[in-house]
Amino acid sequence: MSQTTPTAPDGDVTRRSFLRTSAVLATGLAAVAASLKPLFEMDDLPSAEQFMQKYYREMTPADMAVVLKRISNEVEKQYGIRPHVKDYKPMDGVEFVYALNLTRCIGCRKCVHACVGENNQSRNPEIQYIRVLKMPHGTFDLDKGDHNYAPESVPEKGFFYMPVQCQQCHNPPCVKVCPVHATWQETDGITVIDYDWCIGCRYCEAACPYWARRFNFAKPSIPKDRLNPEMSYLGNRPRKKGVMEKCHFCIQRTRAGRYPACVEVCPVGARKFGNILDPNSEVSKILSTKRVFMQLKEDVGTNPRFFYYFDV
Amino acid sequence: MNNGGRTSLVLGALAVIFTGIFAAFLADLPGRPAPRPLIPLVDKSFLSTATVRISYSDLVKAKEDLSDFDCYGCHQKSKPPVLTFDENQKLIVPKAHRDIVMGHGSHGRNNNCFNCHNENNLLVLQPRDGRDLKFSESTLLCGSCHGPTFRDWEAGVHGRTSGYWNRDLGAIDRKDCVNCHDPHSPKFPSRAPAPGPHSLHESTAAPAAH
């Protein structure tokens, strides 16, 4: 015995150093675990079902029914409201066009907020599809536009107002750059986004010349009493953190034959919407009778379905 | 000090540091980014699709007070009201009608009450062609002088059409001229704008002067 204790360091040191090392390791691990605390508070990770979901255009109606049910359940769980989620399809013989009368617009921003309400955009942080630029008369240089104007009343002398939103281009650069085909143009002209397919790389945001795409940097928040329960898959169903969104001409309204929310709320009647393939629609009449109209940044070749015009 | 002693010292110190870090994280000492100041919800008035003006037809539909339109509650059928003018030939609106601000056209070019009302029957409107129109048909009155605008309106180009762009799927509601224009002073009123955008990286400072 006396032989082993002090002079045989091996066994003793091994045990002691093992204990010491493990104690240090344990505290180290605990520290790392504690530092990861915020990760465990994440509550909007995709469910397994969503993760296994098929690509939109490969889904059968039965697949879609399952997906819509999952979305309804998720919305109900989060907001306590059972929504009506549908997958509205484009109508035959319909191509949407928007026309906005710059002689009328007074810059009141009601369209901005009607859109937020209709389309379940996040209120905190704020996501808005429409940006209204206050422009000095005599220029179309968007850089001269100011979107933070806050006078007592509008319109202000010497300025006109130009609301800008997704221009629903014939030739959308945002679609071309999407590495996962999560955004595409449908037959009625609406460029849509599948929020379940979007990976949040924001290439489309960079590609858009109109600054029309918005990214959910944070978890969107919508007060329960302001949630719009009439939802569409490619439209206004609630989004998650990390995906893109933008104006989709209120798919849930327009593909059911109704006007978009921004048209309905405009107090001056500056906003016109309809089917350009129907010669009697308002937009057909405007494009055939108004002498002065234009597309924004015509020179970049996007060929928008959104026209600005003047009354003369 | 021998090797073993130094090791224990280092490991002991490490353990203390790690415990410290552990406690710090648990107590959230490094802190989270300060929560963004909450952006107030927009006032519901900005979400209303109501037009700026309530017309006679709206009042009828809503079964509201129509006493303003009960002309013969005050006037007498046998005595058409007499228009009064000041020395500049500017029409004077009598006190009894002081809620009417007259200013139709530059220089009040169309201020004469009987350009629109029928002096012999105040309960109807009368365009220049002499036919009588009910108050609910005022848009035709406007159209009698504003032909091009009226044709635009009929095509849905001037004014606002609500409801269904696809007429097979639902009805439309085309707003009357007097839903947006006061017939007596038709210039569209200016109004307070809804709040502007709040940026993502907003500081605690309030959004531009409110």
Side-chain angles (χ1 to χ4, degrees), chain B residues 53-105:
Chain B
R53 234 185 135 258
I54 297 171
S55 69
Y56 171 79
S57 313
D58 295 336
L59 291 175
V60 172
K61 249 182 257 155
K63 300 206 166 59
E64 294 266 351
D65 172 30
L66 287 171
S67 61
D68 278 350
F69 289 89
D70 180 19
C71 314
Y72 292 116
C74 304
H75 292 274
Q76 278 172 287
K77 250 208 150 130
S78 54
K79 274 203 275 168
V82 182
L83 300 186
T84 46
F85 297 90
D86 67 11
E87 62 275 16
N88 297 324
Q89 290 304 305
K90 207 173 161 271
L91 188 108
I92 300 169
V93 181
K95 275 213 184 72
H97 289 302
R98 72 176 148 285
D99 51 340
I100 293 179
V101 180
M102 256 341 271
H104 195 130

Side-chain angles (χ1 to χ4, degrees), chain A residues 4 21 28 45 84 111 124 175 254:
Chain A
T4 40
T21 318
L45 291 166
H84 309 120
C111 51
N124 273 293
V175 167
T254 54

Side-chain angles (χ1 to χ4, degrees), chain A:
Chain A
M1 286 293 256
S2 68
Q3 240 181 358
T4 40
T5 323
T7 49
D10 283 37
D12 194 34
V13 166
T14 305
R15 180 153 39 103
R16 213 193 301 155
S17 70
F18 172 75
L19 285 176
R20 275 191 317 218
T21 318
S22 7
V24 172
L25 260 175
T27 54
L29 278 177
V32 171
S35 75
L36 293 178
K37 201 169 90 180
L39 262 188
F40 296 104
E41 290 162 13
M42 268 176 69
D43 56 357
D44 54 356
L45 291 166
S47 63
E49 265 174 298
Q50 184 193 330
F51 201 71
M52 300 305 289
Q53 190 173 310
K54 275 199 220 156
Y55 184 51
Y56 178 81
R57 285 187 278 189
E58 284 162 11
M59 274 192 242
T60 63
D63 292 334
M64 183 45 90
V66 173
V67 169
L68 295 181
K69 190 135 182 238
R70 166 183 66 75
I71 293 169
S72 298
N73 291 340
E74 283 171 6
V75 171
E76 188 170 17
K77 190 166 150 234
Q78 191 177 350
Y79 296 95
I81 297 165
R82 188 85 192 160
H84 309 120
V85 201
K86 285 201 209 155
D87 177 35
Y88 295 87
K89 298 290 185 196
M91 297 179 192
D92 285 338
V94 171
E95 182 183 341
F96 292 129
V97 154
Y98 209 110
L100 200 151
N101 189 339
L102 292 176
T103 331
R104 291 281 166 270
C105 179
I106 56 171
C108 71
R109 294 201 189 97
K110 282 187 77 170
C111 51
V112 174
H113 297 282
C115 171
V116 167
E118 170 69 29
N119 291 310
N120 293 321
Q121 278 137 256
S122 174
R123 311 304 205 274
N124 273 293
E126 200 174 64
I127 291 216
Q128 298 178 339
Y129 297 167
I130 306 175
R131 177 105 339 164
V132 186
L133 295 176
K134 174 178 129 184
M135 309 268 289
H137 274 311
T139 179
F140 273 108
D141 182 355
L142 295 191
D143 292 339
K144 294 218 170 71
D146 165 22
H147 58 235
N148 289 315
Y149 62 89
E152 289 277 291
S153 72
V154 284
E156 295 163 274
K157 271 223 150 45
F159 296 94
F160 70 100
Y161 299 84
M162 181 146 89
V164 181
Q165 62 206 75
C166 175
Q167 307 278 305
Q168 309 292 359
C169 309
H170 282 92
N171 207 0
C174 52
V175 167
K176 275 180 234 160
V177 298
C178 181
V180 295
H181 301 289
T183 183
W184 63 89
Q185 192 178 171
E186 302 235 4
T187 55
D188 55 4
I190 304 180
T191 291
V192 294
I193 303 172
D194 184 343
Y195 312 115
D196 289 341
W197 213 253
C198 174
I199 56 171
C201 70
R202 299 173 62 206
Y203 286 7
C204 55
E205 187 183 2
C208 175
Y210 305 104
W211 203 47
R213 287 184 168 249
R214 304 281 180 270
F215 184 65
N216 285 282
F217 280 99
K219 188 176 172 187
S221 102
I222 307 165
K224 287 184 175 51
D225 62 334
R226 298 239 176 158
L227 190 79
N228 176 8
E230 301 303 323
M231 296 176 185
S232 59
Y233 181 86
L234 294 171
N236 64 342
R237 68 185 164 113
R239 277 73 67 185
K240 293 197 167 140
K241 179 173 166 175
V243 302
M244 296 301 305
E245 55 179 293
K246 67 164 188 75
C247 160
H248 43 76
F249 277 174
C250 288
I251 278 190
Q252 65 284 354
R253 300 174 66 93
T254 54
R255 285 192 179 166
R258 300 165 71 202
Y259 286 109
C262 49
V263 168
E264 291 279 1
V265 83
C266 180
V268 295
R271 291 173 162 274
K272 304 290 163 188
F273 174 87
N275 179 9
I276 194 69
L277 304 180
D278 169 5
N280 292 317
S281 67
E282 288 104 304
V283 287
S284 294
K285 293 249 169 70
I286 289 165
L287 293 194
S288 59
T289 59
K290 294 288 166 185
R291 275 174 287 158
V292 184
F293 58 87
M294 60 151 207
Q295 294 161 310
L296 215 49
K297 302 195 183 178
E298 241 162 326
D299 46 321
V300 299
T302 46
N303 194 5
R305 286 192 181 80
F306 202 106
F307 295 86
Y308 294 91
Y309 69 103
F310 293 89
D311 266 346
V312 267

